[in-house]
Amino acid sequence: MSMKGASSSKMPGGSRSRSKVPKSRLRLGLVALLMAQLPALLPGALAWRGPGAAGAGGLGLRAPGLAISSRPWSSGPALAASSFVGASSPGSSRPALRVAPSPAGSLRSSLSSDSVLLAGGGILAKRVLHELHHVQEMPREVVALTNTSRWHQNLTAAGAQPTTVWPSEQFDHVIFTITPNNKHYVQLVRQALERWTGHGSFLLASSVGVYAPSPSPDVAVTEESPLKAVGPEKRRESGVSGTEVLIQAEAEVLRGGGTVARIGGMYNLAPDRTSFFLKGGRLEMRPDRLLPLVGYEDVAGAVVKVMKARGAGTRGQVFNIVDEHRQGCRDVFLTAFASGLVKEVPLEFTTTEGPIGNTYSASKAREVLGWYPETKSFEDYCQRVKTDGRFWTKSPDLDQ
């Protein structure tokens, strides 16, 4: 998602200003949406790809926790591969983090006295900032750890203190949204855990892509469903997969008393760096391959609800964050074409064979967090955009 020309104006709480987006840019975002799902949906698609694998621009697939980038996070000073400390690995003799007990039965009404570390300054982290503004829950301190200083002006305008260096202090809340394209990803998670006070919340943005195939798409995957098999015998020649890294990181977070959000592909018709995938043509999947989706704003809303819970019902827990609407790959394209928001492009699905994919349940998030997606489906999202002729977003300053 490009942020060219982003405004640094102050954002009043609850503001939802909107900016017109050309149809050509909306069209770019559509295939970005599709390509975001491929790592989660196609077998073996998560093997590591080294620097330069996708060209100088970097390949960033926007499924949370499953993005593969040719621009390693370790290149930045904040994420140097040295002096990692943190929670123990599964099976280690080191003790787990001590987590402060959460107050039972109630949510504190405000986050205004809290401190927050956003580990990762990408789109989701910025949406969380805007959601905090929208619900008027801006904490007293928000530090955004980023790989470079490129978007620091925008983060500052959104109320954060950006840095490329790990802060030395601890925080009431740590939101970890870095993608696992770094060979030290699990160590980064451990280091982030060490920056958590044990009060408040620690949230890892993971992906529904860690789940094993369901016996039937009519059987919705829950947080108790089996995960994909990982380990040396399952690895491809290219090395450890993104799925295996995520599962390892999840174990660290859950053992340390944090929360894991397994998120569907986040739809948004704004362009981003994946937009060069807009080619139409041949797609190597069956046309009814199911795509688990959810809106960025709704994911940010779930993050804030975890923060406000302060551990009540969320310590060591996993939540699926998806819109639960059953939609296939071809359906997503046809919905966008029918809306008139994007120009129809030729598509050819190369097979009708293979797994159809999973459906997912978000009932636990509803019951524990009181979370409901404001946007019910991709079709609902397109209709919202079409109704007012503008790009629907809570993040105008960071999406230009």
Side-chain angles (χ1 to χ4, degrees):
M1 187 169 296
S2 173
M3 298 190 294
K4 292 181 180 179
S7 167
S8 61
S9 59
K10 184 178 180 181
M11 299 172 299
S15 169
R16 295 197 188 190
S17 64
R18 305 162 191 246
S19 55
K20 290 188 177 181
V21 177
K23 289 185 179 180
S24 60
R25 296 177 67 190
L26 293 172
R27 188 171 68 253
L28 294 178
L30 175 61
V31 172
L33 158 70
L34 170 64
M35 297 306 297
Q37 307 311 314
L38 297 184
L41 298 177
L42 301 182
L46 289 175
W48 288 119
R49 301 176 65 177
L59 168 58
L61 302 180
R62 299 307 310 163
L66 294 181
I68 308 299
S69 175
S70 64
R71 202 172 286 159
W73 267 84
S74 59
S75 62
L79 302 171
S82 61
S83 303
F84 287 106
V85 294
S88 56
S89 303
S92 168
S93 60
R94 294 174 57 195
L97 291 177
R98 296 179 180 178
V99 178
S102 58
S106 65
L107 304 182
R108 195 189 301 175
S109 60
S110 176
L111 299 171
S112 60
S113 62
D114 292 354
S115 59
V116 178
L117 173 63
L118 297 175
I123 298 170
L124 179 55
K126 300 180 188 85
R127 297 294 173 127
V128 171
L129 280 171
H130 281 271
E131 182 67 16
L132 290 167
H133 278 287
H134 176 67
V135 299
Q136 299 183 5
E137 289 283 0
M138 199 63 187
R140 64 173 175 82
E141 180 186 20
V142 180
V143 174
L145 177 67
T146 66
N147 188 41
T148 73
S149 60
R150 183 178 182 185
W151 303 118
H152 280 193
Q153 181 179 353
N154 305 86
L155 290 165
T156 300
Q161 303 170 36
T163 180
T164 58
V165 179
W166 278 102
S168 58
E169 68 268 29
Q170 292 185 317
F171 297 82
D172 299 311
H173 306 273
V174 178
I175 311 301
F176 193 94
T177 63
I178 299 170
T179 53
N181 58 308
N182 184 286
K183 63 181 179 180
H184 300 290
Y185 180 78
V186 177
Q187 291 97 317
L188 291 172
V189 171
R190 293 174 187 159
Q191 193 158 357
L193 281 163
E194 286 289 342
R195 299 306 190 275
W196 182 34
T197 63
H199 299 278
S201 60
F202 185 105
L203 185 138
L204 173 70
S206 185
S207 171
V208 295
V210 301
Y211 287 111
S214 175
S216 166
D218 296 324
V219 179
V221 170
T222 72
E223 291 81 358
E224 304 302 319
S225 296
L227 303 184
K228 290 177 179 176
V230 296
E233 68 283 359
K234 297 292 183 180
R235 292 175 190 160
R236 291 159 34 117
E237 292 181 0
S238 50
V240 179
S241 71
T243 298
E244 183 170 356
V245 170
L246 277 176
I247 291 173
Q248 292 173 357
E250 286 187 1
E252 296 283 349
V253 170
L254 297 175
R255 189 168 185 269
T259 303
V260 171
R262 292 178 181 153
I263 305 169
M266 293 179 280
Y267 50 73
N268 194 325
L269 292 181
D272 66 4
R273 62 179 177 166
T274 66
S275 61
F276 63 84
F277 277 111
L278 180 60
K279 298 176 182 177
R282 295 168 59 88
L283 297 173
E284 296 182 3
M285 65 171 65
R286 54 190 291 173
D288 57 349
R289 181 79 197 211
L290 296 174
L291 301 180
L293 303 176
V294 66
Y296 269 106
E297 289 84 359
D298 289 318
V299 176
V303 171
V304 172
K305 285 186 177 293
V306 170
M307 293 171 67
K308 288 176 68 65
R310 301 180 186 282
T314 63
R315 295 265 192 245
Q317 296 297 309
V318 176
F319 296 94
N320 292 340
I321 305 298
V322 293
D323 65 19
E324 294 186 314
H325 183 74
R326 183 165 175 162
Q327 52 217 328
C329 177
R330 180 169 55 189
D331 293 337
V332 170
F333 273 94
L334 294 181
T335 296
F337 296 157
S339 72
L341 294 169
V342 299
K343 181 180 178 180
E344 188 168 349
V345 295
L347 296 173
E348 178 187 355
F349 294 90
T350 61
T351 182
T352 57
E353 305 295 328
I356 193 172
N358 293 344
T359 56
Y360 300 86
S361 170
S363 60
K364 183 177 177 181
R366 288 194 296 273
E367 295 167 4
V368 177
L369 301 176
W371 175 82
Y372 296 83
E374 183 177 339
T375 307
K376 305 303 180 184
S377 65
F378 180 68
E379 182 178 9
D380 182 25
Y381 175 77
C382 288
Q383 187 59 44
R384 288 172 182 265
V385 178
K386 183 179 178 182
T387 298
D388 62 14
R390 299 169 189 265
F391 171 61
W392 186 73
T393 180
K394 292 178 182 177
S395 310
D397 290 337
L398 295 172
D399 290 334
Q400 304 301 313

